[in-house]
Amino acid sequence: MSSHAENIYNLIPRQEAAAARPPKHQSRFKSTAKDEYAANRFAHKTMGEAQVPPAQPNEFLKKHTRETKPPAVVVDPNEHDRSSQPRRPPVPKANEAPPVMGIKTKKNFIAQNAVENILSVAKKPEKNLVDSRKGDKFSLDPSGLEPVYRNRKDYGEVPEYLKKRADEIRRAQEEYDNYVKEMRQRGAMQQLTDEERQAIVFGLKKNWEDLHHQYQSLSVMTDTVPKKNRKERIESEMKQLERDIELMERHQVIYLAN
């Protein structure tokens, strides 16, 4: 024998013991269900109930056989028919006012209608458009095909709000002219002539050209604080000169206050 605990009896195959199965569940209603199934097993084997005899070949299903018909209404000829009579108004309630009774009028409605029709204005024919050979038509007014806006009475006239705005501008200009005239009479204001205005504009443009020449002469690298400050100063002076030139060129009449 070796050290692995081998045994010669282990070479004979042994029969494995089968595990015991638990008992099968049996319903207590098994016998009752079996008897009921056996009793009615062949009850519906044919077409329909077993006790109903089959129909004869000549008794086939005919048209309108299964339609339900309403029961026939027997009308009594002696009964009075109230459906054709108009329904009377309901009885007024206790909180309602009693109706006015006994009012009569001597108005001639025929003559009144004749007078109204004679004095009435004739209706204008409708503007319709027929768009098919079958006579299909639609109105032209809401369709957008009729030039309604062009046919208005106020077409081509200046709107009221523009007239009002023009009056306001005119009054403001008159007030300004009166103010300027009064100040000139006092000697507090002086109007620049066209030659003086052109000379000022020329001088401003000359100053801008000088600053622009200085700006182009600056160094590309602004690595020091003085260079940066000089560049910013020249840029601000050039922008101010541009604004002054635009102001002088836009306004033809300029006043100076003394």
Side-chain angles (χ1 to χ4, degrees), residues 43-143:
H44 299 280
K45 196 172 183 180
T46 58
M47 297 294 292
E49 297 290 342
Q51 61 271 18
V52 179
Q56 298 296 329
N58 55 356
E59 297 178 357
F60 55 86
L61 188 62
K62 297 181 181 180
K63 188 177 181 180
H64 304 297
T65 304
R66 296 185 176 180
E67 291 183 358
T68 58
K69 297 181 180 180
V73 179
V74 180
V75 180
D76 188 2
N78 299 326
E79 186 178 359
H80 183 64
D81 187 12
R82 299 182 180 178
S83 60
S84 60
Q85 295 182 359
R87 186 181 295 276
R88 295 183 179 181
V91 179
K93 298 181 180 180
N95 54 357
E96 293 181 359
V100 182
M101 306 294 293
I103 296 179
K104 296 182 180 181
T105 179
K106 296 181 180 180
K107 181 179 179 180
N108 191 351
F109 290 95
I110 298 176
Q112 183 68 21
N113 293 338
V115 172
E116 290 179 358
N117 291 327
I118 292 171
L119 299 178
S120 62
V121 181
K123 294 179 63 177
K124 294 182 179 180
E126 298 180 358
K127 296 182 180 181
N128 297 327
L129 174 64
V130 180
D131 60 346
S132 66
R133 61 178 181 175
K134 296 182 180 181
D136 299 334
K137 62 182 180 179
F138 60 90
S139 180
L140 281 176
D141 293 337
S143 64

Side-chain angles (χ1 to χ4, degrees), residues 14-219:
R14 298 181 181 181
Q15 294 182 358
E16 296 181 0
R21 298 180 62 182
K24 188 177 180 180
H25 173 72
Q26 298 289 340
S27 176
R28 59 178 180 175
F29 303 105
K30 179 179 179 180
S31 58
T32 306
K34 187 176 181 180
D35 295 341
E36 292 178 355
Y37 177 76
N40 301 327
R41 185 173 183 179
F42 302 101
H44 299 280
K45 196 172 183 180
T46 58
M47 297 294 292
E49 297 290 342
Q51 61 271 18
V52 179
Q56 298 296 329
N58 55 356
E59 297 178 357
F60 55 86
L61 188 62
K62 297 181 181 180
K63 188 177 181 180
H64 304 297
T65 304
R66 296 185 176 180
E67 291 183 358
T68 58
K69 297 181 180 180
V73 179
V74 180
V75 180
D76 188 2
N78 299 326
E79 186 178 359
H80 183 64
D81 187 12
R82 299 182 180 178
S83 60
S84 60
Q85 295 182 359
R87 186 181 295 276
R88 295 183 179 181
V91 179
K93 298 181 180 180
N95 54 357
E96 293 181 359
V100 182
M101 306 294 293
I103 296 179
K104 296 182 180 181
T105 179
K106 296 181 180 180
K107 181 179 179 180
N108 191 351
F109 290 95
I110 298 176
Q112 183 68 21
N113 293 338
V115 172
E116 290 179 358
N117 291 327
I118 292 171
L119 299 178
S120 62
V121 181
K123 294 179 63 177
K124 294 182 179 180
E126 298 180 358
K127 296 182 180 181
N128 297 327
L129 174 64
V130 180
D131 60 346
S132 66
R133 61 178 181 175
K134 296 182 180 181
D136 299 334
K137 62 182 180 179
F138 60 90
S139 180
L140 281 176
D141 293 337
S143 64
L145 301 176
E146 187 73 11
V148 180
Y149 183 78
R150 190 185 63 184
N151 296 334
R152 293 175 54 181
K153 295 182 180 180
D154 55 349
Y155 178 75
E157 297 182 0
V158 181
E160 293 295 333
Y161 73 95
L162 291 181
K163 294 180 180 179
K164 184 177 179 181
R165 182 67 61 82
D167 294 339
E168 293 177 356
I169 295 175
R170 181 179 52 80
R171 289 195 298 269
Q173 186 65 32
E174 290 178 357
E175 292 177 0
Y176 176 75
D177 294 341
N178 295 332
Y179 171 76
V180 171
K181 184 178 180 180
E182 182 181 356
M183 296 301 293
R184 289 182 64 184
Q185 290 177 356
R186 294 180 180 179
M189 295 182 64
Q190 181 182 359
Q191 181 180 356
L192 288 179
T193 60
D194 189 56
E195 292 78 7
E196 293 176 349
R197 187 177 64 83
Q198 293 292 341
I200 293 175
V201 172
F202 180 78
L204 292 174
K205 290 183 178 180
K206 185 67 173 59
N207 294 338
W208 185 89
E209 290 177 359
D210 295 341
L211 289 175
H212 186 258
H213 181 71
Q214 295 179 14
Y215 185 80
Q216 289 181 338
S217 302
L218 293 175
S219 176

